[in-house]
Amino acid sequence: MELISLLLSIVVILFLANVIKNQKKYKYSNFPPGPKPLPIIGNLHIISSLKPQKSFMEISKKYGTVFSVQLGTEKMVILCGYDTVKDALINHAEEFAGRPVTAMGSRTSQKYGVVFSNGENWKVMRRFTLSTLRDYGMGKKSLENKIIEECESLINKFRSYGGKPFNNQTITNAAVANIIVSILMDQRFDYDDPTILKLMRLISENIRIAGSTMIRLYNSYPWLIRWLPGAHSKIFENRKEMRDFVTETFTRKEKELDINNQRNLIDAFLAKQKEGKPESTLYYHNENLNVLVSNLFAAGMETTSTTLRWGQLLMMKYPDIQQKVQSEIENVIGSAQPQVEHRKKMPYTDAVIHEIQRYGDIVPGSVPHAPTKDITFRGYFLPKGTIVIPLLHSVLRDKAYFEKPEEFYPGHFLDSDGKFKKNEAFIPFSLGKRSCAGENLANMELFLFFTSLLQNFTFQAPPGAELDLNPAPGFTNAPLPHEICAIPRR
């Protein structure tokens, strides 16, 4: 009886908290419309935990391109379609440049770093990130050479399987991770090094868990959920392990620091600490460094490696497209090493890479935004701090801009003469002030890794295997676990 009474008390408290919170925060008559929420769970019962973007697309058919849903006690606004998303992130760029403050975000990032921070801290960290990425090679020949060297290592690893089936996830992740590690720490790991394996596991687990229902409930009821077992606890454990590693790394770098010979992003940050300016104390402190390095490692590895794995899977699924890419590689590059400068001479390959990014739909919901002040957008009132999801899935599947949105169709990026054509709704890196800082780096990596692999291998499914193009559950859309056969071409 005591247990039943306790559970009933918790339900009553949650119900009252739900009512009070929403009466207080969302009493505006012109807040975006949406489906009626249930007490405690909100609209969780009508939103797929595996593919929430599909549920949002269905809801938009009734409520339009700007609507609201409630997950637990948290109201959020969903923006659908390219025109609406562009209107928010470009035409109202300053107003939508914020990040919402959530219980999970506050505990894992403490409002530091570049992804989830706000205000002046975010502006300083983003400026530093962009300038340092440029300084340490983004778009330069020196970084291109590092990527080319890593391509050779990955090719050798693929070749070692002799055309037999293998899982490409860990080694593809490690190859891509080595590029961002070289910028952050001026270091490289072997693909079976325990350190890189641990870091990749921590990042991959947290990204998978971040899309779970438990995390949505934690953001609504942190005072209750924090005491319960579940996926949220694993995120905190992994975050602590990542934090300890980064702290140990930059402590070691600080002892080795030569102000006149800065070799990587951590060196550049530590040098800023020692400048003695007000900014040094306010922003260039160890907490910001720790979260910033974790942000960049996760962003620099996950999306690019996932895109490359989609590319290999799709080449197995569509061998005729794979053959056309290989023909273009032979005609333009031959047996020489692929270089970034080749891309402008390879419209079909360029179109295929773009279509892999579009079809793969790596970050379907994007990282949430929040208005930096109370605003009226498209006739609806959005209070400052409202969680806003610019649904990138709806943009990359927008029928007004893509002829065959549900199919893998490189023709989306080719004109009638076979020349590459841009499509303004192609925004896998988002838009506006919060767009991905590493977009240029990712584009360089994707072209060099993809063409190098297709130059050296033909990808085939293992005998008898069925290729499933449904994504695995998680915050990002990754391929389901599968094996590939990399058949050497030379």
Side-chain angles (χ1 to χ4, degrees):
M1 286 296 293
E2 290 183 2
L3 179 59
I4 294 174
S5 297
L6 177 62
L7 290 174
L8 286 173
S9 298
I10 290 172
V11 169
V12 171
I13 291 170
L14 290 176
F15 176 75
L16 292 174
N18 184 69
V19 171
I20 292 169
K21 183 171 183 179
N22 285 291
Q23 282 181 343
K24 181 179 179 183
K25 193 172 180 183
Y26 298 103
K27 57 187 178 182
Y28 312 101
S29 60
N30 59 338
F31 191 75
K36 185 176 177 61
L38 296 177
I40 301 176
I41 65 170
N43 298 125
L44 281 173
H45 62 298
I46 62 171
I47 296 172
S48 167
S49 60
L50 297 179
K51 297 180 181 180
Q53 67 273 16
K54 298 295 185 184
S55 301
F56 294 150
M57 293 288 279
E58 283 301 310
I59 295 170
S60 73
K61 292 177 181 177
K62 179 176 180 180
Y63 294 100
T65 62
V66 182
F67 64 90
S68 64
V69 294
Q70 185 173 317
L71 305 183
T73 61
E74 291 294 330
K75 280 273 191 181
M76 59 179 61
V77 173
I78 313 297
L79 308 180
C80 283
Y82 174 66
D83 294 340
T84 301
V85 170
K86 179 187 176 184
D87 191 10
L89 302 187
I90 297 297
N91 300 335
H92 299 82
E94 198 65 48
E95 294 96 323
F96 282 97
R99 291 287 191 224
V101 177
T102 65
M104 179 59 67
S106 296
R107 187 165 174 186
T108 54
S109 67
Q110 295 87 43
K111 304 176 186 178
Y112 297 127
V114 71
V115 175
F116 294 105
S117 60
N118 279 299
E120 197 61 27
N121 189 87
W122 164 66
K123 290 177 183 177
V124 172
M125 289 298 99
R126 185 170 173 91
R127 281 198 303 268
F128 170 79
T129 299
L130 288 170
S131 64
T132 308
L133 286 175
R134 284 193 296 267
D135 290 344
Y136 291 101
M138 191 165 73
K140 295 181 180 178
K141 196 68 180 176
S142 57
L143 184 58
E144 180 177 352
N145 289 337
K146 282 186 179 179
I147 299 171
I148 288 171
E149 289 175 13
E150 199 61 49
C151 288
E152 285 299 315
S153 297
L154 187 60
I155 287 166
N156 290 336
K157 186 66 176 179
F158 275 33
R159 200 178 297 278
S160 70
Y161 291 96
K164 295 179 180 178
F166 67 97
N167 188 310
N168 65 343
Q169 180 172 352
T170 299
I171 53 181
T172 303
N173 284 357
V176 173
N178 271 334
I179 304 305
I180 192 65
V181 166
S182 73
I183 294 172
L184 296 175
M185 312 175 188
D186 194 30
Q187 193 171 342
R188 183 191 178 277
F189 294 100
D190 291 334
Y191 298 158
D192 57 357
D193 188 295
T195 299
I196 195 70
L197 293 176
K198 177 181 177 180
L199 291 177
M200 293 190 302
R201 175 184 61 79
L202 296 176
I203 296 298
S204 296
E205 275 188 359
N206 276 7
I207 286 175
R208 176 177 53 80
I209 294 170
S212 68
T213 300
M214 200 66 175
I215 300 307
R216 295 169 192 150
L217 288 173
Y218 181 89
N219 281 329
S220 290
Y221 309 108
W223 48 273
L224 173 65
I225 302 297
R226 68 182 300 175
W227 303 110
L228 300 177
H232 59 292
S233 299
K234 190 63 178 175
I235 279 192
F236 301 140
E237 291 172 19
N238 289 347
R239 177 69 190 97
K240 183 181 183 305
E241 284 193 61
M242 186 73 178
R243 182 182 181 85
D244 290 345
F245 168 79
V246 175
T247 299
E248 189 275 331
T249 299
F250 68 64
T251 301
R252 186 174 68 249
K253 293 286 185 186
E254 190 170 21
K255 294 176 182 176
E256 304 167 352
L257 179 65
D258 180 352
I259 296 291
N260 299 314
N261 183 28
Q262 299 168 33
R263 297 167 296 174
N264 50 63
L265 183 140
I266 293 179
D267 281 0
F269 194 102
L270 294 172
K272 286 279 190 181
Q273 276 187 352
K274 298 181 181 303
E275 286 181 355
K277 298 177 180 178
E279 248 193 9
S280 303
T281 304
L282 282 172
Y283 305 112
Y284 290 96
H285 47 71
N286 288 349
E287 290 85 357
N288 247 337
L289 176 56
N290 194 298
V291 179
L292 177 64
V293 169
S294 299
N295 287 167
L296 295 178
F297 183 83
M301 178 198 79
E302 179 67 24
T303 55
T304 302
S305 61
T306 299
T307 305
L308 283 172
R309 292 196 295 121
W310 273 117
Q312 294 162 41
L313 179 59
L314 287 162
M315 293 304 96
M316 294 192 295
K317 185 75 172 180
Y318 300 104
D320 55 326
I321 294 176
Q322 178 173 212
Q323 195 276 323
K324 288 181 182 178
V325 171
Q326 290 171 329
S327 294
E328 189 173 65
I329 291 172
E330 290 169 4
N331 292 335
V332 176
I333 303 175
S335 60
Q337 172 63 52
Q339 312 258 344
V340 170
E341 64 184 22
H342 289 130
R343 186 167 193 159
K344 58 182 177 290
K345 302 175 184 177
M346 302 173 68
Y348 189 79
T349 301
D350 204 1
V352 168
I353 293 172
H354 277 70
E355 183 65 357
I356 291 167
Q357 292 175 270
R358 187 201 69 83
Y359 184 85
D361 190 22
I362 311 301
V363 189
S366 80
V367 181
H369 289 239
T372 55
K373 61 182 181 181
D374 292 353
I375 64 166
T376 298
F377 177 71
R378 295 206 159 193
Y380 298 114
F381 182 78
L382 278 61
K384 176 182 177 180
T386 302
I387 299 173
V388 176
I389 307 291
L391 195 66
L392 296 187
H393 170 82
S394 71
V395 178
L396 298 177
R397 295 288 194 275
D398 195 325
K399 295 178 181 177
Y401 291 87
F402 297 103
E403 181 185 348
K404 302 176 181 180
E406 300 301 327
E407 298 180 25
F408 182 71
Y409 179 59
H412 287 137
F413 300 95
L414 293 168
D415 65 17
S416 57
D417 296 322
K419 295 179 181 178
F420 180 82
K421 68 174 181 181
K422 293 183 178 181
N423 188 315
E424 62 177 310
F426 176 76
I427 56 166
F429 300 101
S430 193
L431 286 171
K433 293 181 176 294
R434 288 281 187 168
S435 62
C436 177
E439 179 175 351
N440 291 336
L441 171 62
N443 285 331
M444 182 187 293
E445 290 179 278
L446 288 173
F447 179 76
L448 291 174
F449 276 115
F450 184 73
T451 53
S452 296
L453 289 171
L454 269 284
Q455 182 187 53
N456 284 272
F457 303 102
T458 294
F459 293 103
Q460 296 178 0
E466 291 188 14
L467 300 178
D468 189 341
L469 297 184
N470 285 305
F475 178 74
T476 59
N477 273 344
L480 289 164
H482 64 278
E483 290 191 326
I484 68 172
C485 293
I487 311 301
R489 300 184 66 228
R490 57 179 184 167

